[in-house]
Amino acid sequence: KSSETKRVLVAGASGGVGQFICRQVVRLFGPHSLVVGDYKIERGRKFAKSLGEEVNIGCRNSPKNESWFLADNYFINRLK
């Protein structure tokens, strides 16, 4: 077993499906493994806080036409 901490970034985390996925990640891997990603900054922060203090927040105010791939890379590099 690796000693590295693995994280799961859920894009659109504060939406309906995103919330479900986030809760499953927390249940299976613990709150330290989750990164809440959302372009709705306040809603994302509020949801992350509701899941626990150990949940990472990766909210970003990005234009809707910006690729989520670029946003994902931003969050991944920020957490290294």
Side-chain angles (χ1 to χ4, degrees):
K1 186 175 180 179
S2 173
S3 62
E4 280 187 43
T5 300
K6 305 288 184 189
R7 292 191 173 103
V8 177
L9 168 66
V10 179
S14 67
V17 173
Q19 287 184 17
F20 175 79
I21 293 169
C22 288
R23 287 188 179 98
Q24 295 305 310
V25 169
V26 169
R27 183 178 67 82
L28 294 170
F29 306 111
H32 61 280
S33 297
L34 176 63
V35 180
V36 170
D38 209 301
Y39 73 94
K40 294 182 179 180
I41 296 170
E42 287 307 313
R43 191 170 86 167
R45 285 186 182 142
K46 184 177 177 181
F47 177 63
K49 189 173 181 179
S50 77
L51 294 174
E53 294 297 321
E54 293 181 47
V55 172
N56 296 286
I57 305 167
C59 295
R60 182 171 178 194
N61 189 9
S62 60
K64 289 186 180 184
N65 62 351
E66 183 176 340
S67 166
W68 264 108
F69 174 77
L70 296 175
D72 288 350
N73 284 334
Y74 168 82
F75 293 129
I76 290 166
N77 290 328
R78 187 171 158 217
L79 293 169
K80 286 185 178 180

Coordinates of all heavy atoms in Angstrom, one line a residue:
K1 N 0.8 -1.2 0.0 CA 0.0 0.0 0.0 C 0.9 1.2 0.0 O 1.8 1.4 0.8 CB -0.9 0.0 1.2 CG -1.9 1.1 1.3 CD -2.9 0.9 2.4 CE -3.9 2.0 2.5 NZ -4.8 1.9 3.6
S2 N 0.6 2.2 -0.9 CA 1.4 3.4 -1.0 C 1.0 4.3 0.1 O -0.1 4.4 0.6 CB 1.0 4.1 -2.3 OG 1.6 5.3 -2.4
S3 N 2.1 5.1 0.6 CA 1.8 6.1 1.6 C 1.4 7.4 1.1 O 1.1 8.3 1.8 CB 3.1 6.3 2.4 OG 4.1 6.8 1.6
E4 N 1.3 7.5 -0.2 CA 0.8 8.8 -0.9 C -0.7 9.0 -0.6 O -1.4 8.0 -0.6 CB 1.0 8.7 -2.4 CG 2.4 8.9 -2.9 CD 2.4 9.0 -4.4 OE1 1.5 9.6 -5.0 OE2 3.3 8.4 -5.0
T5 N -1.0 10.2 -0.4 CA -2.4 10.6 -0.3 C -3.0 10.7 -1.6 O -2.6 11.5 -2.5 CB -2.6 11.9 0.5 OG1 -2.0 11.7 1.8 CG2 -4.0 12.2 0.7
K6 N -4.1 10.0 -1.9 CA -4.8 10.1 -3.2 C -6.0 11.0 -3.0 O -6.6 11.0 -1.9 CB -5.3 8.7 -3.6 CG -4.2 7.7 -3.8 CD -3.3 7.9 -4.9 CE -2.4 6.7 -5.0 NZ -1.3 6.9 -6.0
R7 N -6.3 11.8 -4.0 CA -7.4 12.7 -3.9 C -8.3 12.6 -5.1 O -7.8 12.2 -6.2 CB -6.9 14.2 -3.8 CG -6.2 14.5 -2.5 CD -5.9 15.9 -2.3 NE -5.4 16.2 -1.0 CZ -4.1 16.5 -0.8 NH1 -3.3 16.5 -1.8 NH2 -3.7 16.8 0.4
V8 N -9.5 12.8 -4.9 CA -10.5 12.7 -6.0 C -11.1 14.1 -6.1 O -11.7 14.7 -5.2 CB -11.7 11.7 -5.6 CG1 -12.7 11.7 -6.7 CG2 -11.1 10.3 -5.4
L9 N -11.0 14.7 -7.3 CA -11.5 16.0 -7.7 C -12.9 15.7 -8.3 O -13.0 15.0 -9.3 CB -10.7 16.8 -8.6 CG -11.3 18.0 -9.3 CD1 -11.6 19.1 -8.2 CD2 -10.4 18.5 -10.3
V10 N -13.9 16.3 -7.7 CA -15.3 16.2 -8.3 C -15.7 17.5 -8.9 O -15.9 18.5 -8.1 CB -16.3 15.7 -7.3 CG1 -17.7 15.6 -7.9 CG2 -15.9 14.4 -6.7
A11 N -15.7 17.6 -10.2 CA -16.1 18.9 -10.9 C -17.6 19.0 -10.8 O -18.3 18.0 -11.1 CB -15.6 18.8 -12.3
G12 N -18.1 20.2 -10.5 CA -19.5 20.3 -10.4 C -20.0 19.7 -9.1 O -21.2 19.2 -9.0
A13 N -19.2 19.7 -8.1 CA -19.5 19.0 -6.9 C -20.7 19.5 -6.1 O -21.3 18.7 -5.4 CB -18.3 19.1 -5.9
S14 N -21.1 20.8 -6.3 CA -22.2 21.2 -5.5 C -23.6 21.0 -6.2 O -24.6 21.3 -5.6 CB -22.0 22.7 -5.1 OG -22.1 23.5 -6.2
G15 N -23.5 20.5 -7.4 CA -24.8 20.1 -8.1 C -25.3 18.8 -7.5 O -24.7 18.1 -6.7
G16 N -26.5 18.4 -8.0 CA -27.2 17.2 -7.5 C -26.3 15.9 -7.6 O -26.1 15.2 -6.6
V17 N -25.9 15.6 -8.8 CA -25.1 14.4 -9.0 C -23.7 14.5 -8.3 O -23.2 13.6 -7.7 CB -24.9 14.1 -10.5 CG1 -24.0 13.0 -10.8 CG2 -26.3 13.9 -11.2
G18 N -23.1 15.7 -8.4 CA -21.8 16.0 -7.8 C -21.9 15.7 -6.3 O -21.0 15.1 -5.7
Q19 N -23.0 16.2 -5.6 CA -23.1 16.0 -4.2 C -23.2 14.5 -3.9 O -22.6 14.0 -2.9 CB -24.4 16.7 -3.7 CG -24.2 18.2 -3.6 CD -25.4 18.9 -3.0 OE1 -26.2 18.2 -2.3 NE2 -25.5 20.1 -3.2
F20 N -23.9 13.7 -4.7 CA -24.0 12.3 -4.5 C -22.6 11.7 -4.6 O -22.2 10.9 -3.7 CB -24.9 11.6 -5.5 CG -25.0 10.2 -5.4 CD1 -25.7 9.5 -4.4 CD2 -24.2 9.4 -6.3 CE1 -25.7 8.1 -4.3 CE2 -24.2 8.0 -6.2 CZ -25.0 7.4 -5.2
I21 N -21.9 12.0 -5.6 CA -20.5 11.5 -5.8 C -19.6 11.8 -4.6 O -18.9 11.0 -4.1 CB -19.9 11.9 -7.2 CG1 -20.8 11.3 -8.3 CG2 -18.5 11.6 -7.3 CD1 -20.5 11.9 -9.7
C22 N -19.7 13.1 -4.2 CA -18.8 13.6 -3.1 C -19.1 12.8 -1.8 O -18.2 12.4 -1.1 CB -19.1 15.0 -2.8 SG -18.4 16.1 -4.1
R23 N -20.4 12.5 -1.5 CA -20.7 11.8 -0.3 C -20.2 10.3 -0.4 O -19.8 9.8 0.6 CB -22.2 11.8 -0.1 CG -22.7 13.1 0.3 CD -24.2 13.2 0.8 NE -24.5 14.5 1.2 CZ -25.2 15.4 0.5 NH1 -25.5 15.1 -0.8 NH2 -25.4 16.6 1.0
Q24 N -20.2 9.8 -1.6 CA -19.7 8.4 -1.8 C -18.1 8.4 -1.6 O -17.6 7.5 -1.0 CB -20.0 7.8 -3.1 CG -21.5 7.6 -3.3 CD -22.1 6.8 -2.2 OE1 -21.7 5.7 -1.9 NE2 -23.2 7.3 -1.6
V25 N -17.5 9.4 -2.1 CA -16.0 9.5 -2.0 C -15.7 9.6 -0.5 O -14.8 8.9 0.0 CB -15.4 10.7 -2.8 CG1 -14.0 11.0 -2.4 CG2 -15.6 10.5 -4.2
V26 N -16.4 10.5 0.2 CA -16.1 10.6 1.7 C -16.4 9.3 2.4 O -15.6 8.9 3.3 CB -17.0 11.8 2.3 CG1 -16.9 11.8 3.8 CG2 -16.5 13.1 1.7
R27 N -17.5 8.6 2.1 CA -17.8 7.4 2.7 C -16.8 6.3 2.5 O -16.4 5.6 3.4 CB -19.2 6.9 2.2 CG -19.7 5.6 2.9 CD -21.0 5.2 2.4 NE -21.0 4.8 1.0 CZ -20.7 3.6 0.5 NH1 -20.3 2.6 1.4 NH2 -20.7 3.3 -0.8
L28 N -16.3 6.2 1.2 CA -15.3 5.2 0.9 C -13.9 5.4 1.2 O -13.1 4.5 1.6 CB -15.4 4.9 -0.6 CG -16.8 4.3 -1.1 CD1 -16.8 4.3 -2.6 CD2 -17.0 2.9 -0.6
F29 N -13.5 6.7 1.1 CA -12.0 7.0 1.2 C -11.7 8.1 2.3 O -10.6 8.3 2.6 CB -11.5 7.6 -0.1 CG -11.8 6.6 -1.3 CD1 -12.7 7.0 -2.3 CD2 -11.1 5.4 -1.4 CE1 -12.9 6.1 -3.3 CE2 -11.4 4.6 -2.4 CZ -12.3 4.9 -3.4
G30 N -12.8 8.7 2.9 CA -12.5 9.7 3.9 C -12.6 11.1 3.4 O -12.3 11.3 2.2
P31 N -12.9 12.1 4.2 CA -13.0 13.5 3.8 C -11.7 14.1 3.3 O -11.7 14.9 2.4 CB -13.5 14.2 5.0 CG -13.2 13.3 6.2 CD -13.2 11.9 5.7
H32 N -10.5 13.6 3.7 CA -9.3 14.1 3.3 C -9.0 13.8 1.8 O -8.2 14.4 1.2 CB -8.1 13.5 4.2 CG -8.1 12.1 4.1 ND1 -8.9 11.2 4.8 CD2 -7.3 11.2 3.4 CE1 -8.6 10.0 4.5 NE2 -7.6 9.9 3.7
S33 N -9.7 12.8 1.3 CA -9.5 12.4 -0.1 C -10.3 13.2 -1.1 O -10.1 13.1 -2.3 CB -9.9 10.9 -0.3 OG -9.1 10.1 0.5
L34 N -11.2 14.0 -0.7 CA -12.1 14.8 -1.6 C -11.7 16.2 -1.8 O -11.3 16.9 -0.9 CB -13.5 14.8 -1.0 CG -14.6 15.6 -1.8 CD1 -14.8 15.0 -3.1 CD2 -15.9 15.7 -1.0
V35 N -11.7 16.6 -3.1 CA -11.6 18.0 -3.5 C -12.9 18.4 -4.2 O -13.2 17.8 -5.2 CB -10.4 18.2 -4.5 CG1 -10.2 19.6 -4.9 CG2 -9.1 17.6 -3.9
V36 N -13.6 19.4 -3.6 CA -14.8 19.9 -4.1 C -14.4 20.9 -5.2 O -13.8 22.0 -4.8 CB -15.7 20.5 -3.0 CG1 -16.8 21.3 -3.6 CG2 -16.2 19.4 -2.0
G37 N -14.8 20.7 -6.4 CA -14.5 21.6 -7.5 C -15.8 22.1 -8.1 O -16.7 21.4 -8.4
D38 N -15.9 23.4 -8.2 CA -17.1 24.0 -8.7 C -16.8 25.5 -9.1 O -16.0 26.1 -8.5 CB -18.2 24.0 -7.6 CG -19.6 23.9 -8.3 OD1 -19.9 24.8 -9.1 OD2 -20.3 23.0 -8.0
Y39 N -17.5 25.9 -10.1 CA -17.3 27.3 -10.5 C -18.2 28.3 -9.8 O -18.1 29.5 -9.8 CB -17.5 27.5 -12.1 CG -18.9 27.4 -12.5 CD1 -19.7 28.6 -12.7 CD2 -19.5 26.2 -12.8 CE1 -21.0 28.5 -13.1 CE2 -20.8 26.1 -13.3 CZ -21.5 27.2 -13.4 OH -22.8 27.1 -13.9
K40 N -19.2 27.7 -9.1 CA -20.1 28.5 -8.2 C -19.4 28.5 -6.8 O -19.6 27.6 -6.0 CB -21.5 27.9 -8.1 CG -22.2 28.0 -9.4 CD -23.6 27.5 -9.3 CE -24.3 27.6 -10.7 NZ -25.6 27.1 -10.7
I41 N -18.5 29.5 -6.6 CA -17.6 29.5 -5.5 C -18.3 29.4 -4.1 O -17.9 28.5 -3.3 CB -16.7 30.8 -5.6 CG1 -15.9 30.7 -6.8 CG2 -15.8 30.9 -4.3 CD1 -15.1 32.0 -7.1
E42 N -19.2 30.2 -3.8 CA -19.8 30.2 -2.5 C -20.6 28.9 -2.2 O -20.6 28.4 -1.2 CB -20.7 31.4 -2.3 CG -20.0 32.7 -2.1 CD -18.9 32.6 -1.0 OE1 -19.2 32.1 0.1 OE2 -17.8 33.0 -1.2
R43 N -21.3 28.4 -3.2 CA -22.1 27.2 -3.1 C -21.1 26.0 -2.9 O -21.3 25.2 -2.1 CB -22.9 27.0 -4.3 CG -23.9 25.8 -4.1 CD -24.9 25.8 -5.3 NE -24.4 25.0 -6.4 CZ -25.1 24.6 -7.4 NH1 -26.4 24.9 -7.5 NH2 -24.6 23.9 -8.4
G44 N -20.0 26.0 -3.6 CA -19.0 25.0 -3.4 C -18.4 25.0 -2.1 O -18.2 23.9 -1.4
R45 N -18.0 26.2 -1.6 CA -17.4 26.3 -0.2 C -18.4 25.8 0.9 O -18.1 25.1 1.8 CB -17.0 27.7 0.0 CG -15.8 28.1 -0.7 CD -15.3 29.5 -0.3 NE -14.1 29.8 -1.0 CZ -13.8 31.0 -1.5 NH1 -14.6 32.0 -1.3 NH2 -12.7 31.2 -2.2
K46 N -19.7 26.2 0.7 CA -20.7 25.9 1.7 C -20.9 24.3 1.7 O -21.0 23.7 2.8 CB -22.0 26.6 1.4 CG -23.1 26.3 2.4 CD -24.3 27.1 2.0 CE -25.5 26.8 3.0 NZ -26.7 27.6 2.6
F47 N -20.9 23.7 0.5 CA -21.1 22.3 0.5 C -19.9 21.6 1.1 O -20.0 20.6 1.8 CB -21.4 21.8 -1.0 CG -21.5 20.4 -1.1 CD1 -22.5 19.7 -0.4 CD2 -20.6 19.6 -1.8 CE1 -22.6 18.3 -0.5 CE2 -20.7 18.3 -1.9 CZ -21.7 17.6 -1.3
A48 N -18.7 22.0 0.7 CA -17.5 21.4 1.2 C -17.5 21.5 2.8 O -17.1 20.5 3.4 CB -16.2 22.1 0.7
K49 N -17.8 22.6 3.3 CA -17.8 22.8 4.8 C -18.8 21.8 5.4 O -18.6 21.3 6.5 CB -18.1 24.2 5.1 CG -18.0 24.5 6.6 CD -18.1 26.0 6.8 CE -17.9 26.3 8.3 NZ -18.0 27.7 8.6
S50 N -19.9 21.6 4.7 CA -21.0 20.7 5.3 C -20.5 19.2 5.4 O -21.0 18.4 6.1 CB -22.3 20.7 4.4 OG -22.1 20.0 3.2
L51 N -19.4 18.9 4.6 CA -18.9 17.5 4.6 C -17.8 17.3 5.6 O -17.4 16.2 5.9 CB -18.4 17.2 3.2 CG -19.4 17.1 2.1 CD1 -18.7 16.9 0.7 CD2 -20.4 16.0 2.3
G52 N -17.3 18.4 6.1 CA -16.2 18.3 7.2 C -15.1 19.2 6.9 O -14.8 19.6 5.8
E53 N -14.3 19.4 8.0 CA -13.2 20.3 7.9 C -12.0 19.8 7.1 O -11.2 20.6 6.6 CB -12.7 20.7 9.3 CG -13.7 21.5 10.1 CD -14.0 22.8 9.5 OE1 -13.1 23.5 9.0 OE2 -15.2 23.3 9.6
E54 N -11.9 18.5 6.9 CA -10.8 17.9 6.2 C -11.0 17.9 4.6 O -10.1 17.6 3.9 CB -10.7 16.4 6.6 CG -10.2 16.3 8.0 CD -10.0 14.8 8.4 OE1 -9.4 14.1 7.6 OE2 -10.5 14.4 9.4
V55 N -12.2 18.3 4.2 CA -12.5 18.3 2.8 C -11.8 19.5 2.1 O -11.8 20.6 2.6 CB -14.0 18.4 2.5 CG1 -14.3 18.6 1.0 CG2 -14.7 17.2 3.0
N56 N -11.1 19.2 1.0 CA -10.4 20.2 0.3 C -11.3 21.0 -0.6 O -12.2 20.4 -1.2 CB -9.2 19.6 -0.6 CG -8.2 19.0 0.3 OD1 -7.4 19.6 0.9 ND2 -8.2 17.6 0.3
I57 N -11.1 22.3 -0.8 CA -11.9 23.1 -1.6 C -11.1 23.6 -2.8 O -10.0 24.1 -2.7 CB -12.5 24.3 -0.9 CG1 -13.2 23.8 0.4 CG2 -13.4 25.1 -1.7 CD1 -13.5 24.9 1.4
G58 N -11.6 23.4 -4.0 CA -11.0 23.8 -5.3 C -11.9 24.6 -6.1 O -12.0 24.3 -7.3
C59 N -12.6 25.5 -5.6 CA -13.5 26.3 -6.3 C -12.8 27.2 -7.3 O -11.8 27.8 -6.9 CB -14.5 27.1 -5.4 SG -15.5 26.1 -4.4
R60 N -13.3 27.4 -8.4 CA -12.7 28.3 -9.4 C -13.7 29.0 -10.2 O -14.6 28.4 -10.7 CB -11.7 27.5 -10.3 CG -11.0 28.4 -11.3 CD -10.0 27.7 -12.0 NE -9.3 28.6 -12.9 CZ -8.6 28.2 -13.9 NH1 -8.3 26.9 -14.1 NH2 -8.0 29.1 -14.7
N61 N -13.6 30.3 -10.3 CA -14.5 31.1 -11.1 C -14.0 31.1 -12.5 O -13.3 32.0 -13.0 CB -14.6 32.5 -10.5 CG -15.7 33.3 -11.2 OD1 -16.5 32.8 -11.9 ND2 -15.8 34.6 -10.9
S62 N -14.4 30.1 -13.3 CA -13.9 30.0 -14.7 C -15.1 30.2 -15.6 O -16.2 29.8 -15.3 CB -13.3 28.6 -14.9 OG -14.2 27.6 -14.7
P63 N -14.9 30.8 -16.8 CA -15.9 31.0 -17.7 C -16.5 29.6 -18.2 O -15.8 28.6 -18.2 CB -15.2 31.7 -18.9 CG -13.9 32.1 -18.4 CD -13.6 31.3 -17.2
K64 N -17.8 29.6 -18.5 CA -18.4 28.3 -18.9 C -17.8 27.7 -20.2 O -17.8 26.5 -20.3 CB -19.9 28.5 -19.1 CG -20.6 28.7 -17.8 CD -22.1 28.8 -18.0 CE -22.8 29.0 -16.7 NZ -24.2 29.0 -16.8
N65 N -17.2 28.5 -21.0 CA -16.6 28.0 -22.2 C -15.2 27.5 -22.0 O -14.6 26.9 -22.9 CB -16.7 29.0 -23.4 CG -15.8 30.3 -23.1 OD1 -15.4 30.4 -21.9 ND2 -15.7 31.1 -24.0
E66 N -14.6 27.6 -20.8 CA -13.3 27.1 -20.6 C -13.4 25.6 -20.4 O -14.3 25.1 -19.7 CB -12.7 27.8 -19.3 CG -11.3 27.3 -19.0 CD -10.7 28.1 -17.8 OE1 -11.2 29.1 -17.5 OE2 -9.7 27.5 -17.3
S67 N -12.4 24.9 -20.9 CA -12.4 23.5 -20.8 C -12.2 23.0 -19.3 O -11.4 23.5 -18.6 CB -11.2 22.9 -21.6 OG -11.0 21.6 -21.3
W68 N -13.0 22.0 -18.9 CA -12.9 21.5 -17.6 C -11.5 20.8 -17.5 O -11.0 20.7 -16.4 CB -14.0 20.5 -17.3 CG -15.1 21.2 -16.5 CD1 -16.3 21.5 -16.9 CD2 -15.0 21.7 -15.1 NE1 -17.0 22.2 -16.0 CE2 -16.3 22.3 -14.8 CE3 -14.0 21.6 -14.2 CZ2 -16.5 22.8 -13.6 CZ3 -14.3 22.2 -12.9 CH2 -15.6 22.8 -12.7
F69 N -11.0 20.3 -18.6 CA -9.6 19.7 -18.5 C -8.6 20.7 -18.0 O -7.8 20.4 -17.1 CB -9.2 19.3 -19.9 CG -7.8 18.8 -20.0 CD1 -7.5 17.5 -19.5 CD2 -6.8 19.5 -20.5 CE1 -6.2 17.0 -19.5 CE2 -5.5 19.1 -20.6 CZ -5.2 17.8 -20.1
L70 N -8.7 22.0 -18.4 CA -7.8 23.0 -17.9 C -8.0 23.3 -16.5 O -7.1 23.4 -15.7 CB -7.9 24.3 -18.7 CG -7.6 24.2 -20.2 CD1 -7.9 25.5 -20.9 CD2 -6.1 23.8 -20.4
A71 N -9.3 23.3 -16.1 CA -9.6 23.5 -14.7 C -9.1 22.4 -13.8 O -8.6 22.6 -12.7 CB -11.1 23.7 -14.5
D72 N -9.3 21.2 -14.3 CA -8.8 20.0 -13.5 C -7.3 20.1 -13.3 O -6.8 19.8 -12.2 CB -9.1 18.7 -14.3 CG -10.6 18.3 -14.2 OD1 -11.4 19.0 -13.4 OD2 -11.0 17.4 -14.9
N73 N -6.6 20.4 -14.4 CA -5.1 20.6 -14.2 C -4.7 21.7 -13.2 O -3.8 21.5 -12.5 CB -4.5 20.9 -15.6 CG -4.4 19.7 -16.5 OD1 -4.3 18.6 -16.0 ND2 -4.4 19.9 -17.7
Y74 N -5.5 22.7 -13.2 CA -5.3 23.8 -12.2 C -5.4 23.3 -10.8 O -4.5 23.5 -10.0 CB -6.3 24.9 -12.4 CG -6.4 25.9 -11.3 CD1 -5.4 27.0 -11.3 CD2 -7.3 25.9 -10.3 CE1 -5.5 27.9 -10.3 CE2 -7.4 26.8 -9.3 CZ -6.5 27.8 -9.3 OH -6.5 28.7 -8.3
F75 N -6.5 22.5 -10.5 CA -6.7 22.0 -9.2 C -5.6 20.9 -8.8 O -5.1 20.9 -7.7 CB -8.0 21.3 -9.0 CG -9.2 22.3 -9.1 CD1 -10.2 22.1 -10.0 CD2 -9.2 23.5 -8.4 CE1 -11.3 23.0 -10.1 CE2 -10.2 24.4 -8.4 CZ -11.3 24.1 -9.3
I76 N -5.3 20.1 -9.8 CA -4.3 19.0 -9.5 C -2.9 19.6 -9.2 O -2.3 19.2 -8.2 CB -4.2 18.1 -10.7 CG1 -5.5 17.2 -10.8 CG2 -3.0 17.2 -10.6 CD1 -5.7 16.5 -12.1
N77 N -2.5 20.6 -9.9 CA -1.2 21.2 -9.7 C -1.2 22.0 -8.4 O -0.2 22.1 -7.7 CB -0.8 22.2 -10.9 CG -0.5 21.4 -12.1 OD1 0.0 20.3 -12.0 ND2 -0.8 21.9 -13.3
R78 N -2.3 22.6 -8.0 CA -2.5 23.3 -6.8 C -2.3 22.4 -5.6 O -1.8 22.9 -4.5 CB -3.8 24.0 -6.8 CG -4.0 25.0 -5.6 CD -5.3 25.8 -5.8 NE -5.7 26.2 -4.5 CZ -6.9 26.3 -4.1 NH1 -7.9 26.0 -4.9 NH2 -7.2 26.8 -2.9
L79 N -2.7 21.2 -5.7 CA -2.7 20.3 -4.5 C -1.4 19.5 -4.4 O -1.2 18.8 -3.4 CB -3.8 19.3 -4.7 CG -5.2 19.9 -4.5 CD1 -6.3 18.9 -4.9 CD2 -5.4 20.4 -3.1
K80 N -0.4 19.7 -5.3 CA 0.8 18.9 -5.2 C 1.7 19.5 -4.2 O 1.7 20.6 -3.8 CB 1.5 19.0 -6.6 CG 0.9 18.1 -7.6 CD 1.7 18.0 -8.9 CE 1.0 17.1 -9.8 NZ 1.7 17.0 -11.1

